[in-house]
Amino acid sequence: MTITLDSLEPALSVRQVLTLERVLAGEPEVVAGASHLDRPVRWVHVAEAADVGVMLSGGEMVLTTGVLLAGDEDKQAEYVRSLHRAEAAAVVLGLGRAFPAAPDVMRRAAERCGLPMVVLHRPFPFAELTEEVQSRLVRRKFAAVSLSEAVRTELTALITAGAPLQRLLDEVARHSACPVVVTNLAHRVLGTAGERPAVDDVLRDWERIARQAGGVEGDGWIRAELGGHGERWGRIVLCGYRGDTATGRLLADRAAEALVLHRMLAGGAACSWEEQSAQSLLTDLVSGVVPARQLLPRARAAGLPVNRRTFVPLVVRDGDPARLERLLRLLGLPGLVAELADGVTAVLLSLPRDQDAGALAAHFATRLRTETGPAHTVVAAAEARAAWDDVPTGLREAQHVADAVADSSAALDLPPVVRLKDVHLRGLIRLLRDDPHVQSFAERELDGLLREADEDLLSVLRTYLATGRNKSRTAQLHHVSRPALYRRLEAIQVRLGVDLDDFEQAASVHIALLAHDAQQQ
């Protein structure tokens, strides 16, 4: 997309022109079209010809003394109508030479056409007005072009350096000094930038804004389409831009160019922007750094239903986010999916309150495990939440459960959806793993093995305790004979100074081993 100087709109409105010091010296008075003073002035044209309309291309403020119109009301009315047809910005009539006051015929015609009509009560050199306005317009146009090129250079440098989408949007928001929103064609918000309170105010009303046909521009709302090769796939919106429209459109166009380039260099993965948006939202929810109530507008704008819903927090281990997204769409379950860490993916379901949240979560998990195999995927869940404010706690609970069954061998006998009640002692140890007292206990109980760093004996001990001290099963899993296993168990007991046949001592070692393993993950 190329923007030239000739294609720029002017940076002054009729209202702004009338406030200029040189114009005020002529004592201007608006006698018609007062509700249209925000029309942009592209140029100022001095003309006395009665057929001036044929010489205009639109957006001109026409200055005249009316000497060729005096005494002919038909000419006066047609003069105004011709300006209207030519889409002039306004007509300014200097009183004194031809008219002592605003002609009623011209005033009524201008009011009917919605054309601002201004009279100057004091003699005024039109050359001064044209010089003032033209110089301002030229300066502002070149300033806009200069800003446009500066923004293009900065955004291109960021893209070349491999900057993420958010960094680009932050730069656009810095230049525009207003919230910036990127959406897909379904009006789902993919990214935002700007002062957080201002962005939240925009997102809070996003449903209404998105329902407007194409996002009607006005009041500083400026948009640019995203796409290429005849295909549109999104738009960027400057929300409440306070500068002049021409500069705002330049900024939006430059930003659009950069985003299209960013996507192209990323292999056209527009969906990754949706993934980044969901990841940012769910990460903020899990961390608790941002209060849930403040994240509600972002969730709503991201396409998550939030009114009168039941929220089901899930965490899936070893589940492909793209596969999870497809499965949600296949099952018709509204939700967000985002990878929180390598191999750990959060899924937040949003269900109508009259649906069985537990059954739907179990159906989702069963279908997932059918596709991937039970040994490869663990679906952990917290109890369904009826209030949005409780979602962060639920996500953290689901993550805790998933961490507690991180060992895939322990997950084989678990139900499709694992909950807090299913992880028992392992779950408690996970919660307490960072407690210094628990850490000291684990090191003290296992010192004889940890000091020698004997991973083989630790592995045997781990299996022996996990199988309920079943010697036959332990020997089978480690592919050793029963006598060989007995020798290893004897070595373990000697090093630890315990009797593993004693239930209390074995339980103490088991707890210490669970704590040690939890600290290593």
Side-chain angles (χ1 to χ4, degrees):
M1 180 183 307
T2 302
I3 305 297
T4 64
L5 180 60
D6 290 338
S7 69
L8 293 176
E9 289 191 5
L12 291 175
S13 65
V14 175
R15 189 188 309 278
Q16 290 172 317
V17 170
L18 296 181
T19 62
L20 297 178
E21 186 175 349
R22 290 186 179 183
V23 179
L24 290 175
E27 297 182 5
E29 177 189 1
V30 179
V31 297
S35 60
H36 300 277
L37 296 180
D38 290 320
R39 284 183 174 180
V41 176
R42 188 179 61 83
W43 210 244
V44 177
H45 192 71
V46 180
E48 300 292 353
D51 59 348
V52 65
V54 300
M55 297 181 283
L56 305 180
S57 58
E60 294 90 351
M61 174 179 277
V62 177
L63 311 180
T64 182
T65 61
V67 292
L68 299 182
L69 303 175
D72 191 331
E73 292 187 348
D74 289 340
K75 280 187 177 181
Q76 294 170 20
E78 178 56 26
Y79 180 83
V80 172
R81 287 193 293 268
S82 70
L83 293 179
H84 171 64
R85 288 193 297 269
E87 299 182 349
V91 58
V92 179
L93 175 64
L95 301 180
R97 290 191 60 185
F99 298 100
D104 286 339
V105 173
M106 293 182 67
R107 183 178 54 78
R108 288 195 299 269
E111 192 65 47
R112 284 194 299 270
C113 293
L115 176 70
M117 180 175 176
V118 182
V119 297
L120 299 175
H121 288 279
R122 298 189 63 179
F124 185 86
F126 284 167
E128 292 187 11
L129 174 57
T130 57
E131 178 186 4
E132 176 76 10
V133 175
Q134 315 297 41
S135 63
R136 285 176 178 263
L137 289 177
V138 169
R139 287 199 302 270
R140 293 197 178 195
K141 285 182 177 180
F142 277 106
V145 171
S146 177
L147 174 62
S148 168
E149 292 307 310
V151 171
R152 169 188 278 165
T153 300
E154 292 174 12
L155 294 181
T156 302
L158 288 174
I159 293 172
T160 304
L165 171 66
Q166 188 60 54
R167 182 68 185 85
L168 269 65
L169 296 182
D170 289 340
E171 190 67 16
V172 175
R174 183 177 71 83
H175 282 286
S176 63
C178 70
V180 175
V181 177
V182 174
T183 75
N184 61 15
L185 294 182
H187 306 294
R188 179 174 174 177
V189 174
L190 307 180
T192 63
E195 295 292 332
R196 194 74 254 167
V199 171
D200 288 344
D201 285 343
V202 169
L203 296 184
R204 197 169 289 114
D205 202 28
W206 192 254
E207 289 183 358
R208 179 188 64 80
I209 295 169
R211 283 196 299 269
Q212 295 178 352
V216 179
E217 288 191 0
D219 297 327
W221 288 75
I222 300 173
R223 71 182 187 277
E225 302 299 324
L226 303 176
H229 305 294
E231 177 189 7
R232 292 190 305 113
W233 42 266
R235 61 175 53 92
I236 182 170
V237 186
L238 306 186
C239 308
Y241 180 70
R242 295 306 175 195
D244 62 86
T245 304
T247 303
R249 285 181 178 162
L250 274 177
L251 285 172
D253 288 336
R254 289 295 177 254
E257 289 177 358
L259 297 186
V260 170
L261 177 60
H262 184 277
R263 180 197 178 198
M264 182 175 66
L265 294 178
C271 62
S272 66
W273 290 4
E274 297 186 5
E275 294 167 2
Q276 291 176 35
S277 175
Q279 183 179 50
S280 173
L281 174 60
L282 291 181
T283 300
D284 285 346
L285 278 169
V286 170
S287 69
V289 173
V290 182
R293 181 58 50 182
Q294 293 183 22
L295 296 172
L296 187 59
R298 286 171 58 189
R300 183 185 290 111
L304 186 73
V306 295
N307 295 329
R308 296 181 296 278
R309 309 292 285 191
T310 297
F311 302 101
V312 183
L314 306 173
V315 170
V316 181
R317 293 195 68 93
D318 300 321
D320 176 43
R323 182 193 294 272
L324 298 176
E325 282 272 16
R326 288 194 297 270
L327 184 56
L328 287 184
R329 288 195 296 270
L330 179 65
L331 299 178
L333 297 176
L336 294 178
V337 176
E339 190 172 37
L340 300 180
D342 188 24
V344 179
T345 303
V347 179
L348 179 60
L349 301 180
S350 174
L351 307 174
R353 290 184 175 176
D354 59 352
Q355 293 186 346
D356 188 335
L360 287 174
H363 181 51
F364 168 78
T366 301
R367 285 291 299 269
L368 180 61
R369 295 183 73 178
T370 299
E371 292 183 9
T372 61
H376 297 93
T377 302
V378 172
V379 179
E383 293 303 318
R385 261 57 178 179
W388 174 258
D389 287 346
D390 295 332
V391 168
T393 302
L395 284 169
R396 287 192 290 271
E397 179 182 315
Q399 189 173 28
H400 159 67
V401 174
D403 287 344
V405 292
D407 182 359
S408 60
S409 64
L412 290 174
D413 298 326
L414 292 170
V417 178
V418 188
R419 301 184 184 276
L420 198 58
K421 63 182 179 60
D422 299 314
V423 295
H424 306 296
L425 178 61
R426 187 183 298 272
L428 176 63
I429 295 301
R430 278 278 174 171
L431 283 176
L432 301 176
R433 64 179 177 177
D434 293 326
D435 188 299
H437 297 293
V438 174
Q439 294 172 354
S440 297
F441 169 75
E443 292 174 2
R444 185 170 60 252
E445 289 289 300
L446 301 174
D447 179 65
L449 293 178
L450 297 178
R451 191 176 343 107
E452 300 295 331
D454 196 326
E455 290 298 328
D456 180 58
L457 290 183
L458 273 173
S459 179
V460 169
L461 176 62
R462 186 179 293 110
T463 304
Y464 179 64
L465 295 174
T467 58
R469 296 184 292 171
N470 186 320
K471 294 182 176 68
S472 297
R473 180 61 175 156
T474 302
Q476 181 183 13
L477 290 173
H478 282 269
H479 308 290
V480 297
S481 64
R482 290 281 294 268
L485 174 67
Y486 294 156
R487 288 194 295 273
R488 296 184 186 185
L489 291 176
E490 181 63 28
I492 291 171
Q493 293 181 105
V494 170
R495 292 196 184 185
L496 297 182
V498 298
D499 179 4
L500 293 178
D501 290 329
D502 181 88
F503 175 78
E504 184 174 340
Q505 293 184 53
S508 181
V509 172
H510 194 186
I511 292 171
L513 188 57
L514 289 175
H516 169 74
D517 289 344
Q519 291 161 16
Q520 304 308 306
Q521 297 176 1

PDB file of all heavy atoms in Angstrom, residues 1 10 16 20 35 58 108 116 121 166 176 209 243 274 305 324 345 361 421 430 447 457 489:
ATOM      1  N   MET A   1       0.851  -1.181   0.000  1.00  0.00           N
ATOM      2  CA  MET A   1       0.000   0.000   0.000  1.00  0.00           C
ATOM      3  C   MET A   1       0.888   1.232   0.000  1.00  0.00           C
ATOM      4  O   MET A   1       1.757   1.395   0.843  1.00  0.00           O
ATOM      5  CB  MET A   1      -0.873  -0.006   1.276  1.00  0.00           C
ATOM      6  CG  MET A   1      -1.810   1.151   1.406  1.00  0.00           C
ATOM      7  SD  MET A   1      -2.708   1.054   2.976  1.00  0.00           S
ATOM      8  CE  MET A   1      -3.377  -0.592   2.890  1.00  0.00           C
ATOM      9  N   PRO A  10      -6.679  16.797   4.219  1.00  0.00           N
ATOM     10  CA  PRO A  10      -6.128  17.931   4.946  1.00  0.00           C
ATOM     11  C   PRO A  10      -6.230  17.728   6.446  1.00  0.00           C
ATOM     12  O   PRO A  10      -6.945  16.871   6.925  1.00  0.00           O
ATOM     13  CB  PRO A  10      -7.010  19.097   4.484  1.00  0.00           C
ATOM     14  CG  PRO A  10      -8.292  18.452   4.090  1.00  0.00           C
ATOM     15  CD  PRO A  10      -7.916  17.127   3.511  1.00  0.00           C
ATOM     16  N   GLN A  16     -11.621  24.794  12.535  1.00  0.00           N
ATOM     17  CA  GLN A  16     -10.258  25.191  12.883  1.00  0.00           C
ATOM     18  C   GLN A  16      -9.812  26.413  12.082  1.00  0.00           C
ATOM     19  O   GLN A  16      -9.125  27.287  12.609  1.00  0.00           O
ATOM     20  CB  GLN A  16      -9.303  24.023  12.649  1.00  0.00           C
ATOM     21  CG  GLN A  16      -9.471  22.883  13.644  1.00  0.00           C
ATOM     22  CD  GLN A  16      -8.645  21.673  13.271  1.00  0.00           C
ATOM     23  OE1 GLN A  16      -8.579  21.280  12.095  1.00  0.00           O
ATOM     24  NE2 GLN A  16      -8.007  21.061  14.259  1.00  0.00           N
ATOM     25  N   LEU A  20      -8.399  30.685  13.321  1.00  0.00           N
ATOM     26  CA  LEU A  20      -7.088  31.255  13.060  1.00  0.00           C
ATOM     27  C   LEU A  20      -7.108  32.760  13.322  1.00  0.00           C
ATOM     28  O   LEU A  20      -8.102  33.451  13.054  1.00  0.00           O
ATOM     29  CB  LEU A  20      -6.667  30.998  11.609  1.00  0.00           C
ATOM     30  CG  LEU A  20      -6.496  29.518  11.215  1.00  0.00           C
ATOM     31  CD1 LEU A  20      -6.135  29.405   9.747  1.00  0.00           C
ATOM     32  CD2 LEU A  20      -5.455  28.849  12.090  1.00  0.00           C
ATOM     33  N   SER A  35     -23.844  22.952  11.681  1.00  0.00           N
ATOM     34  CA  SER A  35     -23.631  21.575  12.161  1.00  0.00           C
ATOM     35  C   SER A  35     -22.625  20.809  11.307  1.00  0.00           C
ATOM     36  O   SER A  35     -22.372  19.630  11.556  1.00  0.00           O
ATOM     37  CB  SER A  35     -24.965  20.819  12.178  1.00  0.00           C
ATOM     38  OG  SER A  35     -25.520  20.760  10.878  1.00  0.00           O
ATOM     39  N   GLY A  58     -13.473  19.185  -4.795  1.00  0.00           N
ATOM     40  CA  GLY A  58     -13.972  18.726  -3.506  1.00  0.00           C
ATOM     41  C   GLY A  58     -13.053  19.098  -2.356  1.00  0.00           C
ATOM     42  O   GLY A  58     -11.835  19.021  -2.469  1.00  0.00           O
ATOM     43  N   ARG A 108     -30.375  30.551   2.838  1.00  0.00           N
ATOM     44  CA  ARG A 108     -31.364  29.471   2.873  1.00  0.00           C
ATOM     45  C   ARG A 108     -30.904  28.279   2.031  1.00  0.00           C
ATOM     46  O   ARG A 108     -31.052  27.116   2.430  1.00  0.00           O
ATOM     47  CB  ARG A 108     -32.714  29.974   2.375  1.00  0.00           C
ATOM     48  CG  ARG A 108     -33.420  30.911   3.359  1.00  0.00           C
ATOM     49  CD  ARG A 108     -34.885  31.079   2.995  1.00  0.00           C
ATOM     50  NE  ARG A 108     -35.040  31.668   1.657  1.00  0.00           N
ATOM     51  CZ  ARG A 108     -35.133  32.962   1.415  1.00  0.00           C
ATOM     52  NH1 ARG A 108     -35.092  33.832   2.430  1.00  0.00           N
ATOM     53  NH2 ARG A 108     -35.281  33.416   0.175  1.00  0.00           N
ATOM     54  N   PRO A 116     -21.622  24.790   5.020  1.00  0.00           N
ATOM     55  CA  PRO A 116     -21.281  25.904   5.909  1.00  0.00           C
ATOM     56  C   PRO A 116     -21.090  27.199   5.127  1.00  0.00           C
ATOM     57  O   PRO A 116     -20.332  27.223   4.141  1.00  0.00           O
ATOM     58  CB  PRO A 116     -19.975  25.451   6.565  1.00  0.00           C
ATOM     59  CG  PRO A 116     -20.003  23.955   6.479  1.00  0.00           C
ATOM     60  CD  PRO A 116     -20.679  23.655   5.182  1.00  0.00           C
ATOM     61  N   HIS A 121     -17.464  40.276   8.519  1.00  0.00           N
ATOM     62  CA  HIS A 121     -18.064  41.595   8.720  1.00  0.00           C
ATOM     63  C   HIS A 121     -17.073  42.727   8.504  1.00  0.00           C
ATOM     64  O   HIS A 121     -17.480  43.874   8.313  1.00  0.00           O
ATOM     65  CB  HIS A 121     -18.657  41.682  10.136  1.00  0.00           C
ATOM     66  CG  HIS A 121     -19.905  40.847  10.300  1.00  0.00           C
ATOM     67  ND1 HIS A 121     -21.145  41.264   9.885  1.00  0.00           N
ATOM     68  CD2 HIS A 121     -20.075  39.610  10.824  1.00  0.00           C
ATOM     69  CE1 HIS A 121     -22.042  40.333  10.160  1.00  0.00           C
ATOM     70  NE2 HIS A 121     -21.415  39.303  10.734  1.00  0.00           N
ATOM     71  N   GLN A 166       3.317  -8.220  19.744  1.00  0.00           N
ATOM     72  CA  GLN A 166       3.030  -7.258  20.801  1.00  0.00           C
ATOM     73  C   GLN A 166       3.979  -6.068  20.751  1.00  0.00           C
ATOM     74  O   GLN A 166       3.564  -4.932  20.991  1.00  0.00           O
ATOM     75  CB  GLN A 166       3.121  -7.938  22.172  1.00  0.00           C
ATOM     76  CG  GLN A 166       2.648  -7.064  23.328  1.00  0.00           C
ATOM     77  CD  GLN A 166       1.208  -6.642  23.172  1.00  0.00           C
ATOM     78  OE1 GLN A 166       0.330  -7.480  22.997  1.00  0.00           O
ATOM     79  NE2 GLN A 166       0.937  -5.340  23.235  1.00  0.00           N
ATOM     80  N   SER A 176       0.517   6.672  18.202  1.00  0.00           N
ATOM     81  CA  SER A 176      -0.871   7.135  18.069  1.00  0.00           C
ATOM     82  C   SER A 176      -1.443   7.678  19.369  1.00  0.00           C
ATOM     83  O   SER A 176      -2.434   8.408  19.352  1.00  0.00           O
ATOM     84  CB  SER A 176      -1.755   5.993  17.568  1.00  0.00           C
ATOM     85  OG  SER A 176      -1.784   4.927  18.510  1.00  0.00           O
ATOM     86  N   ILE A 209     -19.251  -2.421  19.699  1.00  0.00           N
ATOM     87  CA  ILE A 209     -18.440  -1.864  18.614  1.00  0.00           C
ATOM     88  C   ILE A 209     -18.354  -2.855  17.461  1.00  0.00           C
ATOM     89  O   ILE A 209     -18.488  -2.490  16.289  1.00  0.00           O
ATOM     90  CB  ILE A 209     -17.026  -1.530  19.132  1.00  0.00           C
ATOM     91  CG1 ILE A 209     -17.105  -0.414  20.183  1.00  0.00           C
ATOM     92  CG2 ILE A 209     -16.109  -1.127  17.996  1.00  0.00           C
ATOM     93  CD1 ILE A 209     -15.814  -0.195  20.929  1.00  0.00           C
ATOM     94  N   GLY A 243      -5.501  12.920  17.088  1.00  0.00           N
ATOM     95  CA  GLY A 243      -4.879  13.782  16.093  1.00  0.00           C
ATOM     96  C   GLY A 243      -5.795  13.964  14.890  1.00  0.00           C
ATOM     97  O   GLY A 243      -6.954  13.538  14.892  1.00  0.00           O
ATOM     98  N   GLU A 274      -3.868 -15.560  17.293  1.00  0.00           N
ATOM     99  CA  GLU A 274      -4.935 -15.966  18.195  1.00  0.00           C
ATOM    100  C   GLU A 274      -4.364 -16.784  19.353  1.00  0.00           C
ATOM    101  O   GLU A 274      -4.791 -16.639  20.504  1.00  0.00           O
ATOM    102  CB  GLU A 274      -5.979 -16.770  17.432  1.00  0.00           C
ATOM    103  CG  GLU A 274      -6.683 -15.976  16.336  1.00  0.00           C
ATOM    104  CD  GLU A 274      -7.806 -16.768  15.690  1.00  0.00           C
ATOM    105  OE1 GLU A 274      -8.085 -17.883  16.156  1.00  0.00           O
ATOM    106  OE2 GLU A 274      -8.395 -16.256  14.723  1.00  0.00           O
ATOM    107  N   PRO A 305     -17.412 -16.631  25.695  1.00  0.00           N
ATOM    108  CA  PRO A 305     -18.670 -16.237  26.355  1.00  0.00           C
ATOM    109  C   PRO A 305     -18.460 -16.155  27.861  1.00  0.00           C
ATOM    110  O   PRO A 305     -17.897 -17.073  28.469  1.00  0.00           O
ATOM    111  CB  PRO A 305     -19.632 -17.377  25.989  1.00  0.00           C
ATOM    112  CG  PRO A 305     -19.010 -18.061  24.809  1.00  0.00           C
ATOM    113  CD  PRO A 305     -17.532 -17.925  24.996  1.00  0.00           C
ATOM    114  N   LEU A 324      -6.040 -29.790  20.384  1.00  0.00           N
ATOM    115  CA  LEU A 324      -7.060 -29.439  21.377  1.00  0.00           C
ATOM    116  C   LEU A 324      -8.060 -28.431  20.804  1.00  0.00           C
ATOM    117  O   LEU A 324      -9.268 -28.528  21.040  1.00  0.00           O
ATOM    118  CB  LEU A 324      -6.395 -28.871  22.633  1.00  0.00           C
ATOM    119  CG  LEU A 324      -5.449 -29.816  23.384  1.00  0.00           C
ATOM    120  CD1 LEU A 324      -4.786 -29.090  24.549  1.00  0.00           C
ATOM    121  CD2 LEU A 324      -6.201 -31.034  23.876  1.00  0.00           C
ATOM    122  N   THR A 345      -0.577 -27.483  28.563  1.00  0.00           N
ATOM    123  CA  THR A 345      -1.532 -26.629  27.870  1.00  0.00           C
ATOM    124  C   THR A 345      -2.769 -26.413  28.729  1.00  0.00           C
ATOM    125  O   THR A 345      -3.329 -27.369  29.279  1.00  0.00           O
ATOM    126  CB  THR A 345      -1.963 -27.255  26.526  1.00  0.00           C
ATOM    127  OG1 THR A 345      -0.798 -27.491  25.732  1.00  0.00           O
ATOM    128  CG2 THR A 345      -2.908 -26.337  25.778  1.00  0.00           C
ATOM    129  N   ALA A 361     -16.659 -32.309  30.308  1.00  0.00           N
ATOM    130  CA  ALA A 361     -15.210 -32.375  30.485  1.00  0.00           C
ATOM    131  C   ALA A 361     -14.716 -33.813  30.320  1.00  0.00           C
ATOM    132  O   ALA A 361     -13.680 -34.063  29.687  1.00  0.00           O
ATOM    133  CB  ALA A 361     -14.818 -31.826  31.851  1.00  0.00           C
ATOM    134  N   LYS A 421      -8.875 -34.959  44.150  1.00  0.00           N
ATOM    135  CA  LYS A 421      -9.112 -36.129  45.001  1.00  0.00           C
ATOM    136  C   LYS A 421      -8.400 -37.380  44.481  1.00  0.00           C
ATOM    137  O   LYS A 421      -8.252 -38.373  45.218  1.00  0.00           O
ATOM    138  CB  LYS A 421     -10.616 -36.405  45.099  1.00  0.00           C
ATOM    139  CG  LYS A 421     -11.279 -36.758  43.788  1.00  0.00           C
ATOM    140  CD  LYS A 421     -12.766 -36.963  43.954  1.00  0.00           C
ATOM    141  CE  LYS A 421     -13.433 -37.296  42.619  1.00  0.00           C
ATOM    142  NZ  LYS A 421     -12.919 -38.518  42.006  1.00  0.00           N
ATOM    143  N   ARG A 430       3.225 -32.236  46.310  1.00  0.00           N
ATOM    144  CA  ARG A 430       3.444 -31.228  45.274  1.00  0.00           C
ATOM    145  C   ARG A 430       3.198 -29.822  45.818  1.00  0.00           C
ATOM    146  O   ARG A 430       3.921 -28.878  45.512  1.00  0.00           O
ATOM    147  CB  ARG A 430       2.510 -31.485  44.093  1.00  0.00           C
ATOM    148  CG  ARG A 430       3.024 -32.526  43.154  1.00  0.00           C
ATOM    149  CD  ARG A 430       4.020 -31.912  42.215  1.00  0.00           C
ATOM    150  NE  ARG A 430       4.643 -32.921  41.369  1.00  0.00           N
ATOM    151  CZ  ARG A 430       5.420 -32.630  40.358  1.00  0.00           C
ATOM    152  NH1 ARG A 430       5.668 -31.388  40.055  1.00  0.00           N
ATOM    153  NH2 ARG A 430       5.965 -33.587  39.648  1.00  0.00           N
ATOM    154  N   ASP A 447      19.507 -39.328  52.429  1.00  0.00           N
ATOM    155  CA  ASP A 447      20.902 -38.907  52.371  1.00  0.00           C
ATOM    156  C   ASP A 447      21.837 -40.022  51.915  1.00  0.00           C
ATOM    157  O   ASP A 447      22.742 -39.803  51.117  1.00  0.00           O
ATOM    158  CB  ASP A 447      21.334 -38.397  53.751  1.00  0.00           C
ATOM    159  CG  ASP A 447      22.792 -37.964  53.754  1.00  0.00           C
ATOM    160  OD1 ASP A 447      23.112 -36.983  53.037  1.00  0.00           O
ATOM    161  OD2 ASP A 447      23.601 -38.612  54.444  1.00  0.00           O
ATOM    162  N   LEU A 457      19.730 -47.394  42.286  1.00  0.00           N
ATOM    163  CA  LEU A 457      19.059 -47.792  43.530  1.00  0.00           C
ATOM    164  C   LEU A 457      17.849 -46.896  43.809  1.00  0.00           C
ATOM    165  O   LEU A 457      16.827 -47.362  44.308  1.00  0.00           O
ATOM    166  CB  LEU A 457      20.042 -47.737  44.701  1.00  0.00           C
ATOM    167  CG  LEU A 457      21.146 -48.806  44.700  1.00  0.00           C
ATOM    168  CD1 LEU A 457      22.008 -48.694  45.957  1.00  0.00           C
ATOM    169  CD2 LEU A 457      20.556 -50.211  44.577  1.00  0.00           C
ATOM    170  N   LEU A 489      17.637 -54.242  47.301  1.00  0.00           N
ATOM    171  CA  LEU A 489      16.827 -53.732  48.404  1.00  0.00           C
ATOM    172  C   LEU A 489      17.626 -53.747  49.708  1.00  0.00           C
ATOM    173  O   LEU A 489      17.508 -52.833  50.537  1.00  0.00           O
ATOM    174  CB  LEU A 489      15.551 -54.572  48.562  1.00  0.00           C
ATOM    175  CG  LEU A 489      14.511 -54.427  47.434  1.00  0.00           C
ATOM    176  CD1 LEU A 489      13.343 -55.374  47.669  1.00  0.00           C
ATOM    177  CD2 LEU A 489      14.006 -52.991  47.356  1.00  0.00           C
TER     178      LEU A 489
END
